[in-house]
Amino acid sequence: MDAVRLTNVTKSYGDHIAVNDLSLRVPAGAIYGFIGPNGSGKTTTLRMILHIIHPDSGSIEVLGEAATRAANDRIGYLPEERGLYKKMKVRDLLTYYAALKGVSGADARREGETWLERFDLTGNATRPVETLSKGMAQKVQFIATVLTRPELLILDEPFAGLDPVNHDALRLAILELARQGTTVIFSTHDMSMAEKMCDRIFMIFKGDKVLDGTLDSIQEAYGADTVRLRVGGDAGLLAEHPAVERVTDMGHYQEVRLSGDPQALLQSLVARTSVQLFEIARPSLNEIFVRIAGPEAQDAVATSAALADQVA
Amino acid sequence: MSKIRTVMFTEYLRAVRTKAFIIGVLLMPLMFGGGIIAMALAEQAKDTADRHFVVVDESGVLLPMLAAALDERNEQSLFEDDEQVDPRWVLEAYDPAASAERMDVALSDRIENKEILGFLVIGPDIVDPDGADRRLAWYTDTPTYDDLADWLGATINNELRRLRFTEAGLDGTLVDHLSARERVNTLGLASVNEQGEVSEAEESNMAATVAIPIGLAMLLFMLVMMSTPALMNNVLEEKMQKIAEVLVSSVSPFGLLLGKLLSAVLVSLTLAILYVGAILLFVHNVDQVPAAIVDAISPGVLAWFVFFMLMALLIYGSIFSALGAACSEIQDAQTLMMPAMMVLIIPMMFLGPIIKSPDGALATALSYFPPATPVVMFLRISMPPGAEWWEITVAIVVMVIFTLGCVLAASKIFRIGILSQGQTPSYRKLVGWLVSR
């Protein structure tokens, strides 16, 4: 059963097509990562799933409800830009947001206390939001989102601006909710986080779906054309090699994209310098993202779209 | 429905719990009542310093009389309960020998030097109604202080009339007696009841017939002013702080708008109950209040008040909420707000002519202009002669249709605006939003 099903959805603002003929299925219980550059249509897609905005064409079914807001009470939404009433006290705010989802005050308070305790915020329950630190406010916003035990959790950049401790606390909370059966859709610019957490990944670029599938299937499609290597002496000679398409300096090693035979590269390197690391790998999600949306790929969108079709 | 109720009560509590609200509640009667008290105090705190002036009597007959009348005035009407309430006026006859300059120049200099307040020139032929030079000229650099000039005019004219009648061979005292003025009494209407008994017309009480309706109309206007522009800031704040997005993911934009409008209604009702309640307590418990005033604040009038207040709140609440949703910055909001504010104050701008002629063309036309209907129609209904039933019906039907239109249009602009970013749209663009899908 799908928690979310988009079929041929298109949304445009004036002449600008924000989302173009998008079809997407998010299976129930999955953690689905939405990636894509800024302004590529992620937030528009999320808002359409919430029925905050309506598509020009196509259909959207969420938790079995088609084209109405009927399912919204069962969705928790954490928008990219946090929205809390500054003057309201934390507990009042949580109760209000829960009441808007149809949850009674008593239930909201009970559930709220549990979450406040979990995030070490119990002592702040009666403080106005404006007195909280940024990290605390962000946790409060997260609590407001999950307080109502939603079946579908939509998180737009949930980790932005969090310190490592809070980052971890939030990550564990999301994973736990997913284990309990909550479907999670989250958008992020943090590719390693997407790699670690997501069962499936969807990438949208300039309104078009360019990736959709498990990390494995996506990496499979991009092939094993990547070599991680470290050489003694000048790394600059890598770039001169005819088979090397691109070199990304990762600090401790270089990530190289090859068009030819890796063995030939190894042989030619060994002949000229000492090779300390040579690993044939699949491209990271970060690399794939840059290949699709990086400056050199901007004019090759069509190719990416074709690749996405293969993956799907 | 329960979500609209949640929004309504939460917004209501957010509004009434603020310091600004509590201060506002206390401040408004202070501003109204304070204005009246301040005027009364200012009236009492009159400048009672002596005022000197010069009289140049070229007729040669009026000066002694003027001096005598002034003495009498200075002795008899300066004091109230041993407290001086008016300045003493000190008359000085013009002395040509005092200066070599022309009379008017010399005296003007003295005015500039603050020695005198002004000078009066009486023409030589003033007693003769057909005389060539009958000047009565008051020179001063303080024309706003007109008490003295008025007194001089009245006193001299009385004397002149007496002199001219005597000249014509009539007895001045008799003429005064015969030309005594009679006062006009303003009365209501006489009517016949079911038993055929005629009930006499009563002297109409200005306070009851005019002041109560005007006061209530002003209160209505103030309540709308206090709660609806605040909605614009409220919506704009939610939009700027991205709260709106969380809210509309839980409540439909229309539900959110409705909840906010109803919260404004609750806030205004709270204020109305406070103020009207205080007024009712006062008029029912203070014996000095005339019965006519107690009767003027009738349940019927109060029902109309609440009804028109409700309509005005929905009209202006919708407009201001929509404008708040359309803007992204406070400065833009203020620009968009101006025209709406202008419309809101129309009834107040024309208050004078409306009161003067409640069934005149202007008042009638304005009572059919929906944005002005609440205040103007309320005035027309509550003030004599009152509006015809069909006029009231037509105005209400038009207004209710307009109100619904406002709420629907606002919900559309609200829905589009609340999530829009960037440039604030013009009114033309807003109309574009209205007709868009």
Side-chain angles (χ1 to χ4, degrees), chain A residues 43 47 50 52-56 69 72-73 77 79 81-86 88 92 96-97 99-102 141, chain B residues 2-3 6-7 10-11 14 17 237-238 241-243 245-253 256 260 415 419 421 437:
Chain A
T43 302
R47 285 177 174 177
L50 285 159
I52 295 177
I53 51 178
H54 303 289
D56 301 335
R69 304 171 61 98
N72 274 30
D73 283 355
Y77 176 47
E81 291 179 83
R82 313 297 179 238
L84 299 172
Y85 290 97
K86 286 184 191 160
M88 232 187 235
D92 294 345
Y96 180 41
Y97 280 18
L100 291 181
K101 292 279 187 198
Q141 180 104 43
Chain B
S2 78
K3 290 186 181 182
T6 303
V7 173
T10 308
E11 292 283 349
R14 275 182 68 214
R17 274 180 182 167
E237 183 203 351
E238 282 175 359
Q241 296 182 9
K242 311 292 172 192
I243 299 167
E245 192 164 355
V246 183
L247 297 181
V248 294
S249 75
S250 306
V251 196
S252 68
L256 185 60
K260 285 178 179 298
R415 179 168 66 75
L419 293 175
Q421 304 277 342
R437 202 162 53 86

Short mmCIF file of all heavy atoms in Angstrom, two decimals, chain A residues 43 47 50 52-56 69 72-73 77 79 81-86 88 92 96-97 99-102 141, chain B residues 2-3 6-7 10-11 14 17 237-238 241-243 245-253 256 260 415 419 421 437:
data_model
loop_
_atom_site.label_atom_id
_atom_site.label_comp_id
_atom_site.label_asym_id
_atom_site.label_seq_id
_atom_site.Cartn_x
_atom_site.Cartn_y
_atom_site.Cartn_z
N THR A 43 9.76 21.80 -2.42
CA THR A 43 8.76 22.33 -1.50
C THR A 43 7.38 22.35 -2.16
O THR A 43 6.37 22.05 -1.53
CB THR A 43 9.17 23.72 -1.02
OG1 THR A 43 10.45 23.61 -0.38
CG2 THR A 43 8.18 24.28 -0.02
N ARG A 47 4.18 20.61 -0.62
CA ARG A 47 2.95 21.37 -0.36
C ARG A 47 1.75 20.77 -1.10
O ARG A 47 0.63 20.83 -0.61
CB ARG A 47 3.13 22.83 -0.77
CG ARG A 47 3.98 23.63 0.20
CD ARG A 47 4.18 25.04 -0.30
NE ARG A 47 4.87 25.88 0.65
CZ ARG A 47 5.21 27.14 0.42
NH1 ARG A 47 4.92 27.70 -0.75
NH2 ARG A 47 5.83 27.86 1.32
N LEU A 50 0.41 17.95 0.78
CA LEU A 50 -0.39 18.44 1.91
C LEU A 50 -1.68 19.14 1.47
O LEU A 50 -2.45 19.62 2.30
CB LEU A 50 0.44 19.44 2.71
CG LEU A 50 1.53 18.83 3.59
CD1 LEU A 50 2.58 19.86 3.91
CD2 LEU A 50 0.92 18.29 4.87
N ILE A 52 -1.90 21.95 0.38
CA ILE A 52 -1.85 23.39 0.67
C ILE A 52 -1.95 24.13 -0.66
O ILE A 52 -2.57 25.17 -0.77
CB ILE A 52 -0.53 23.77 1.37
CG1 ILE A 52 -0.42 23.12 2.74
CG2 ILE A 52 -0.43 25.28 1.50
CD1 ILE A 52 0.89 23.41 3.43
N ILE A 53 -1.31 23.57 -1.68
CA ILE A 53 -1.51 24.11 -3.03
C ILE A 53 -2.00 22.98 -3.92
O ILE A 53 -1.79 21.79 -3.62
CB ILE A 53 -0.23 24.76 -3.61
CG1 ILE A 53 0.96 23.82 -3.51
CG2 ILE A 53 0.08 26.06 -2.91
CD1 ILE A 53 2.21 24.41 -4.12
N HIS A 54 -2.66 23.37 -4.98
CA HIS A 54 -3.30 22.36 -5.82
C HIS A 54 -2.60 22.26 -7.17
O HIS A 54 -2.23 23.27 -7.74
CB HIS A 54 -4.77 22.71 -6.00
CG HIS A 54 -5.48 22.84 -4.68
ND1 HIS A 54 -5.74 21.75 -3.89
CD2 HIS A 54 -5.91 23.92 -4.01
CE1 HIS A 54 -6.33 22.16 -2.78
NE2 HIS A 54 -6.44 23.48 -2.82
N PRO A 55 -2.43 21.02 -7.67
CA PRO A 55 -1.77 20.87 -8.97
C PRO A 55 -2.66 21.38 -10.10
O PRO A 55 -3.89 21.41 -9.97
CB PRO A 55 -1.58 19.36 -9.07
CG PRO A 55 -2.62 18.77 -8.20
CD PRO A 55 -2.86 19.76 -7.09
N ASP A 56 -2.00 21.79 -11.20
CA ASP A 56 -2.78 22.21 -12.38
C ASP A 56 -3.41 20.98 -13.01
O ASP A 56 -4.51 21.03 -13.53
CB ASP A 56 -1.87 22.91 -13.39
CG ASP A 56 -1.21 24.13 -12.78
OD1 ASP A 56 -1.79 24.69 -11.82
OD2 ASP A 56 -0.12 24.52 -13.23
N ARG A 69 -8.32 17.41 1.67
CA ARG A 69 -7.44 17.57 2.83
C ARG A 69 -7.79 16.57 3.93
O ARG A 69 -7.30 16.68 5.04
CB ARG A 69 -7.59 18.99 3.39
CG ARG A 69 -7.32 20.08 2.39
CD ARG A 69 -7.70 21.42 2.98
NE ARG A 69 -6.92 21.72 4.16
CZ ARG A 69 -5.84 22.47 4.17
NH1 ARG A 69 -5.41 23.01 3.06
NH2 ARG A 69 -5.18 22.69 5.28
N ASN A 72 -5.15 15.23 6.13
CA ASN A 72 -4.16 16.15 6.72
C ASN A 72 -3.98 16.00 8.23
O ASN A 72 -2.89 16.24 8.74
CB ASN A 72 -4.51 17.60 6.38
CG ASN A 72 -3.92 18.00 5.05
OD1 ASN A 72 -3.76 17.15 4.16
ND2 ASN A 72 -3.56 19.25 4.90
N ASP A 73 -5.06 15.59 8.92
CA ASP A 73 -4.92 15.42 10.36
C ASP A 73 -3.99 14.26 10.70
O ASP A 73 -3.51 14.17 11.82
CB ASP A 73 -6.30 15.17 11.01
CG ASP A 73 -7.08 16.46 11.14
OD1 ASP A 73 -6.51 17.53 10.82
OD2 ASP A 73 -8.26 16.40 11.56
N TYR A 77 3.72 17.91 9.60
CA TYR A 77 4.50 18.67 8.62
C TYR A 77 5.44 19.63 9.31
O TYR A 77 5.02 20.46 10.11
CB TYR A 77 3.55 19.43 7.69
CG TYR A 77 4.23 20.33 6.69
CD1 TYR A 77 5.32 19.89 5.94
CD2 TYR A 77 3.77 21.62 6.48
CE1 TYR A 77 5.92 20.72 5.02
CE2 TYR A 77 4.38 22.46 5.56
CZ TYR A 77 5.46 22.00 4.83
OH TYR A 77 6.06 22.83 3.91
N PRO A 79 7.79 22.47 8.24
CA PRO A 79 8.21 23.24 7.07
C PRO A 79 9.69 23.64 7.18
O PRO A 79 10.27 23.63 8.26
CB PRO A 79 7.31 24.47 7.09
CG PRO A 79 6.74 24.54 8.43
CD PRO A 79 6.91 23.23 9.12
N GLU A 81 11.11 26.56 6.78
CA GLU A 81 11.33 27.71 7.65
C GLU A 81 10.41 27.55 8.85
O GLU A 81 9.22 27.39 8.69
CB GLU A 81 11.06 28.99 6.89
CG GLU A 81 12.11 29.21 5.84
CD GLU A 81 11.89 30.46 5.04
OE1 GLU A 81 12.30 31.52 5.52
OE2 GLU A 81 11.28 30.37 3.96
N ARG A 82 11.00 27.58 10.03
CA ARG A 82 10.25 27.26 11.24
C ARG A 82 9.23 28.35 11.54
O ARG A 82 9.50 29.53 11.40
CB ARG A 82 11.19 27.12 12.43
CG ARG A 82 12.40 26.27 12.15
CD ARG A 82 12.02 24.81 11.82
NE ARG A 82 13.20 24.02 11.53
CZ ARG A 82 13.42 23.35 10.40
NH1 ARG A 82 12.51 23.39 9.43
NH2 ARG A 82 14.50 22.66 10.23
N GLY A 83 8.07 27.92 12.00
CA GLY A 83 7.03 28.89 12.32
C GLY A 83 6.44 28.65 13.69
O GLY A 83 5.67 27.74 13.90
N LEU A 84 6.86 29.47 14.64
CA LEU A 84 6.32 29.37 16.00
C LEU A 84 5.90 30.77 16.45
O LEU A 84 6.55 31.75 16.12
CB LEU A 84 7.39 28.85 16.97
CG LEU A 84 7.97 27.45 16.69
CD1 LEU A 84 9.14 27.18 17.61
CD2 LEU A 84 6.91 26.38 16.88
N TYR A 85 4.82 30.84 17.24
CA TYR A 85 4.42 32.12 17.82
C TYR A 85 5.42 32.50 18.91
O TYR A 85 5.57 31.77 19.89
CB TYR A 85 3.03 32.02 18.43
CG TYR A 85 1.92 31.88 17.43
CD1 TYR A 85 1.40 30.63 17.12
CD2 TYR A 85 1.39 32.99 16.79
CE1 TYR A 85 0.39 30.49 16.20
CE2 TYR A 85 0.37 32.86 15.87
CZ TYR A 85 -0.13 31.61 15.58
OH TYR A 85 -1.14 31.48 14.67
N LYS A 86 6.07 33.64 18.72
CA LYS A 86 7.14 34.01 19.64
C LYS A 86 6.65 34.21 21.08
O LYS A 86 7.33 33.86 22.03
CB LYS A 86 7.78 35.32 19.18
CG LYS A 86 8.66 35.16 17.97
CD LYS A 86 9.32 36.49 17.67
CE LYS A 86 10.01 36.47 16.33
NZ LYS A 86 10.21 37.83 15.84
N MET A 88 4.03 32.92 22.54
CA MET A 88 3.27 31.84 23.16
C MET A 88 4.19 30.96 24.01
O MET A 88 5.35 30.77 23.69
CB MET A 88 2.62 30.99 22.08
CG MET A 88 1.13 30.79 22.28
SD MET A 88 0.51 29.63 21.06
CE MET A 88 -0.80 30.59 20.35
N ASP A 92 1.47 25.80 25.63
CA ASP A 92 0.27 26.32 24.96
C ASP A 92 0.37 26.12 23.45
O ASP A 92 -0.60 25.77 22.79
CB ASP A 92 0.09 27.81 25.26
CG ASP A 92 -0.21 28.06 26.73
OD1 ASP A 92 -0.56 27.08 27.41
OD2 ASP A 92 -0.09 29.21 27.17
N TYR A 96 -2.05 24.03 21.08
CA TYR A 96 -2.77 24.68 19.98
C TYR A 96 -2.53 23.93 18.66
O TYR A 96 -3.48 23.61 17.95
CB TYR A 96 -2.31 26.14 19.86
CG TYR A 96 -2.97 26.92 18.76
CD1 TYR A 96 -4.34 26.80 18.50
CD2 TYR A 96 -2.24 27.82 17.98
CE1 TYR A 96 -4.95 27.53 17.49
CE2 TYR A 96 -2.85 28.55 16.98
CZ TYR A 96 -4.20 28.41 16.74
OH TYR A 96 -4.79 29.14 15.74
N TYR A 97 -1.27 23.66 18.36
CA TYR A 97 -0.96 22.97 17.10
C TYR A 97 -1.62 21.59 17.06
O TYR A 97 -2.07 21.14 16.01
CB TYR A 97 0.56 22.86 16.90
CG TYR A 97 1.22 24.13 16.37
CD1 TYR A 97 0.57 25.36 16.45
CD2 TYR A 97 2.48 24.10 15.79
CE1 TYR A 97 1.16 26.51 15.98
CE2 TYR A 97 3.08 25.26 15.31
CZ TYR A 97 2.42 26.47 15.41
OH TYR A 97 3.01 27.61 14.93
N ALA A 99 -4.40 20.78 18.70
CA ALA A 99 -5.85 20.97 18.58
C ALA A 99 -6.23 21.21 17.11
O ALA A 99 -7.29 20.79 16.65
CB ALA A 99 -6.30 22.15 19.43
N LEU A 100 -5.34 21.89 16.38
CA LEU A 100 -5.63 22.13 14.96
C LEU A 100 -5.60 20.83 14.16
O LEU A 100 -6.12 20.78 13.05
CB LEU A 100 -4.62 23.12 14.38
CG LEU A 100 -4.72 24.55 14.89
CD1 LEU A 100 -3.69 25.43 14.22
CD2 LEU A 100 -6.12 25.11 14.64
N LYS A 101 -4.99 19.80 14.74
CA LYS A 101 -5.02 18.48 14.08
C LYS A 101 -6.13 17.62 14.67
O LYS A 101 -6.17 16.41 14.45
CB LYS A 101 -3.67 17.77 14.29
CG LYS A 101 -2.51 18.41 13.56
CD LYS A 101 -2.47 18.01 12.11
CE LYS A 101 -1.19 18.52 11.45
NZ LYS A 101 -1.32 18.51 9.99
N GLY A 102 -6.95 18.22 15.51
CA GLY A 102 -8.08 17.49 16.08
C GLY A 102 -7.73 16.64 17.29
O GLY A 102 -8.48 15.75 17.66
N GLN A 141 9.50 22.75 17.52
CA GLN A 141 8.76 22.63 16.25
C GLN A 141 8.63 21.15 15.84
O GLN A 141 7.58 20.73 15.36
CB GLN A 141 9.49 23.41 15.16
CG GLN A 141 8.80 23.34 13.81
CD GLN A 141 8.06 24.61 13.48
OE1 GLN A 141 8.57 25.70 13.71
NE2 GLN A 141 6.85 24.49 12.97
N SER B 2 -14.72 22.41 14.48
CA SER B 2 -14.00 22.49 15.76
C SER B 2 -12.68 23.20 15.58
O SER B 2 -12.20 23.87 16.49
CB SER B 2 -13.79 21.08 16.31
OG SER B 2 -12.72 20.46 15.64
N LYS B 3 -12.09 23.09 14.38
CA LYS B 3 -10.82 23.77 14.14
C LYS B 3 -11.03 25.28 14.07
O LYS B 3 -10.22 26.06 14.58
CB LYS B 3 -10.19 23.27 12.85
CG LYS B 3 -9.71 21.85 12.97
CD LYS B 3 -8.97 21.42 11.73
CE LYS B 3 -8.52 19.99 11.89
NZ LYS B 3 -7.76 19.53 10.73
N THR B 6 -11.28 26.39 17.46
CA THR B 6 -9.96 26.42 18.10
C THR B 6 -9.21 27.70 17.72
O THR B 6 -8.65 28.39 18.58
CB THR B 6 -9.14 25.19 17.67
OG1 THR B 6 -9.87 24.03 17.99
CG2 THR B 6 -7.79 25.17 18.36
N VAL B 7 -9.21 28.00 16.41
CA VAL B 7 -8.52 29.22 15.95
C VAL B 7 -9.15 30.44 16.61
O VAL B 7 -8.46 31.32 17.13
CB VAL B 7 -8.61 29.34 14.40
CG1 VAL B 7 -8.04 30.68 13.95
CG2 VAL B 7 -7.87 28.20 13.73
N THR B 10 -8.30 30.64 20.42
CA THR B 10 -6.87 30.88 20.66
C THR B 10 -6.51 32.31 20.26
O THR B 10 -5.82 33.02 20.99
CB THR B 10 -6.03 29.87 19.87
OG1 THR B 10 -6.50 28.56 20.17
CG2 THR B 10 -4.56 29.98 20.24
N GLU B 11 -7.00 32.73 19.07
CA GLU B 11 -6.72 34.09 18.62
C GLU B 11 -7.32 35.12 19.59
O GLU B 11 -6.71 36.15 19.87
CB GLU B 11 -7.30 34.32 17.21
CG GLU B 11 -6.62 33.51 16.13
CD GLU B 11 -5.28 34.13 15.73
OE1 GLU B 11 -5.00 35.26 16.13
OE2 GLU B 11 -4.52 33.45 15.03
N ARG B 14 -5.21 35.23 22.60
CA ARG B 14 -3.95 35.91 22.28
C ARG B 14 -4.16 37.42 22.24
O ARG B 14 -3.30 38.19 22.65
CB ARG B 14 -3.43 35.46 20.91
CG ARG B 14 -2.62 34.19 20.94
CD ARG B 14 -2.11 33.87 19.55
NE ARG B 14 -1.13 34.85 19.12
CZ ARG B 14 -0.97 35.26 17.87
NH1 ARG B 14 -1.75 34.81 16.92
NH2 ARG B 14 -0.05 36.12 17.56
N ARG B 17 -5.20 38.95 25.95
CA ARG B 17 -4.23 38.80 27.04
C ARG B 17 -3.06 39.75 26.91
O ARG B 17 -2.21 39.81 27.77
CB ARG B 17 -3.70 37.37 27.06
CG ARG B 17 -4.58 36.42 27.85
CD ARG B 17 -3.96 35.06 27.79
NE ARG B 17 -4.75 34.06 28.46
CZ ARG B 17 -4.53 32.76 28.32
NH1 ARG B 17 -3.57 32.34 27.52
NH2 ARG B 17 -5.27 31.89 28.95
N GLU B 237 2.13 38.89 10.42
CA GLU B 237 3.12 38.32 11.35
C GLU B 237 3.23 36.80 11.12
O GLU B 237 4.32 36.26 11.00
CB GLU B 237 2.69 38.60 12.79
CG GLU B 237 3.69 38.11 13.83
CD GLU B 237 3.06 37.88 15.19
OE1 GLU B 237 1.88 38.24 15.39
OE2 GLU B 237 3.74 37.31 16.06
N GLU B 238 2.07 36.16 11.01
CA GLU B 238 2.09 34.71 10.79
C GLU B 238 2.75 34.36 9.47
O GLU B 238 3.43 33.35 9.35
CB GLU B 238 0.66 34.16 10.81
CG GLU B 238 0.14 34.01 12.22
CD GLU B 238 -1.30 33.59 12.28
OE1 GLU B 238 -1.93 33.42 11.21
OE2 GLU B 238 -1.83 33.45 13.38
N GLN B 241 6.62 35.10 9.79
CA GLN B 241 7.32 34.15 10.65
C GLN B 241 7.06 32.71 10.25
O GLN B 241 7.37 31.78 11.01
CB GLN B 241 6.93 34.39 12.11
CG GLN B 241 7.37 35.75 12.57
CD GLN B 241 7.03 36.01 14.01
OE1 GLN B 241 6.61 35.12 14.73
NE2 GLN B 241 7.21 37.24 14.45
N LYS B 242 6.46 32.53 9.08
CA LYS B 242 6.25 31.20 8.49
C LYS B 242 5.34 30.32 9.33
O LYS B 242 5.38 29.09 9.21
CB LYS B 242 7.60 30.49 8.28
CG LYS B 242 8.63 31.34 7.59
CD LYS B 242 8.26 31.62 6.16
CE LYS B 242 9.22 32.64 5.57
NZ LYS B 242 8.76 33.16 4.30
N ILE B 243 4.56 30.95 10.21
CA ILE B 243 3.62 30.16 11.00
C ILE B 243 2.47 29.72 10.10
O ILE B 243 1.91 28.65 10.25
CB ILE B 243 3.09 30.98 12.19
CG1 ILE B 243 4.25 31.38 13.09
CG2 ILE B 243 2.05 30.21 12.96
CD1 ILE B 243 3.92 32.43 14.10
N GLU B 245 2.32 28.59 7.20
CA GLU B 245 2.45 27.33 6.48
C GLU B 245 2.07 26.15 7.37
O GLU B 245 1.44 25.20 6.93
CB GLU B 245 3.88 27.18 5.96
CG GLU B 245 3.99 26.05 4.97
CD GLU B 245 5.26 26.11 4.15
OE1 GLU B 245 6.02 27.08 4.28
OE2 GLU B 245 5.48 25.16 3.39
N VAL B 246 2.48 26.22 8.65
CA VAL B 246 2.10 25.16 9.58
C VAL B 246 0.58 25.14 9.74
O VAL B 246 -0.05 24.09 9.73
CB VAL B 246 2.75 25.39 10.96
CG1 VAL B 246 2.43 24.24 11.90
CG2 VAL B 246 4.25 25.54 10.82
N LEU B 247 0.03 26.35 9.89
CA LEU B 247 -1.42 26.44 10.14
C LEU B 247 -2.22 25.89 8.97
O LEU B 247 -3.12 25.08 9.16
CB LEU B 247 -1.81 27.90 10.40
CG LEU B 247 -1.20 28.54 11.64
CD1 LEU B 247 -1.69 29.97 11.79
CD2 LEU B 247 -1.54 27.75 12.90
N VAL B 248 -1.87 26.31 7.74
CA VAL B 248 -2.70 25.86 6.60
C VAL B 248 -2.46 24.40 6.26
O VAL B 248 -3.20 23.83 5.48
CB VAL B 248 -2.53 26.73 5.34
CG1 VAL B 248 -3.05 28.12 5.57
CG2 VAL B 248 -1.10 26.75 4.87
N SER B 249 -1.43 23.79 6.86
CA SER B 249 -1.31 22.34 6.66
C SER B 249 -2.29 21.60 7.57
O SER B 249 -2.54 20.42 7.40
CB SER B 249 0.12 21.87 6.90
OG SER B 249 0.42 21.84 8.28
N SER B 250 -2.84 22.31 8.57
CA SER B 250 -3.81 21.69 9.47
C SER B 250 -5.24 22.19 9.24
O SER B 250 -6.18 21.43 9.34
CB SER B 250 -3.44 21.97 10.93
OG SER B 250 -2.12 21.58 11.20
N VAL B 251 -5.37 23.48 8.97
CA VAL B 251 -6.69 24.08 8.77
C VAL B 251 -6.75 24.61 7.35
O VAL B 251 -5.74 25.10 6.84
CB VAL B 251 -6.88 25.30 9.71
CG1 VAL B 251 -8.34 25.68 9.80
CG2 VAL B 251 -6.31 25.03 11.07
N SER B 252 -7.91 24.55 6.71
CA SER B 252 -8.01 25.13 5.38
C SER B 252 -7.85 26.64 5.50
O SER B 252 -8.20 27.21 6.54
CB SER B 252 -9.36 24.79 4.76
OG SER B 252 -10.37 25.48 5.46
N PRO B 253 -7.32 27.30 4.46
CA PRO B 253 -7.16 28.76 4.55
C PRO B 253 -8.48 29.45 4.89
O PRO B 253 -8.52 30.40 5.66
CB PRO B 253 -6.67 29.14 3.16
CG PRO B 253 -5.98 27.93 2.66
CD PRO B 253 -6.75 26.76 3.23
N LEU B 256 -9.16 29.07 8.53
CA LEU B 256 -8.26 29.93 9.29
C LEU B 256 -8.76 31.37 9.27
O LEU B 256 -8.84 32.04 10.30
CB LEU B 256 -6.86 29.84 8.67
CG LEU B 256 -5.74 30.57 9.38
CD1 LEU B 256 -5.55 30.05 10.79
CD2 LEU B 256 -4.42 30.41 8.60
N LYS B 260 -10.21 33.64 12.40
CA LYS B 260 -9.66 34.96 12.74
C LYS B 260 -10.75 36.02 12.77
O LYS B 260 -10.81 36.86 13.66
CB LYS B 260 -8.57 35.34 11.75
CG LYS B 260 -7.29 34.58 11.95
CD LYS B 260 -6.26 34.96 10.92
CE LYS B 260 -4.97 34.21 11.15
NZ LYS B 260 -4.37 34.52 12.46
N ARG B 415 -5.90 32.66 0.50
CA ARG B 415 -5.38 31.34 0.12
C ARG B 415 -4.15 31.49 -0.77
O ARG B 415 -3.14 30.80 -0.59
CB ARG B 415 -6.48 30.55 -0.61
CG ARG B 415 -6.07 29.18 -1.07
CD ARG B 415 -7.28 28.37 -1.50
NE ARG B 415 -7.95 28.89 -2.69
CZ ARG B 415 -7.49 28.76 -3.93
NH1 ARG B 415 -6.35 28.15 -4.14
NH2 ARG B 415 -8.15 29.25 -4.95
N LEU B 419 0.85 31.99 1.21
CA LEU B 419 2.09 31.25 0.96
C LEU B 419 2.98 31.93 -0.08
O LEU B 419 4.06 31.46 -0.38
CB LEU B 419 1.77 29.82 0.49
CG LEU B 419 1.10 28.94 1.55
CD1 LEU B 419 0.72 27.60 0.95
CD2 LEU B 419 2.02 28.74 2.74
N GLN B 421 5.47 34.54 -1.88
CA GLN B 421 6.69 35.20 -1.41
C GLN B 421 6.95 36.40 -2.30
O GLN B 421 6.38 36.54 -3.36
CB GLN B 421 7.89 34.24 -1.53
CG GLN B 421 7.71 32.93 -0.80
CD GLN B 421 8.04 33.05 0.67
OE1 GLN B 421 8.71 33.98 1.08
NE2 GLN B 421 7.56 32.10 1.46
N ARG B 437 -8.05 31.06 -11.23
CA ARG B 437 -8.73 29.82 -10.90
C ARG B 437 -8.52 29.43 -9.44
O ARG B 437 -7.46 29.63 -8.89
CB ARG B 437 -8.21 28.69 -11.80
CG ARG B 437 -9.16 27.54 -11.95
CD ARG B 437 -8.75 26.74 -13.17
NE ARG B 437 -7.33 26.39 -13.11
CZ ARG B 437 -6.88 25.29 -12.48
NH1 ARG B 437 -7.72 24.51 -11.86
NH2 ARG B 437 -5.59 25.00 -12.50
#
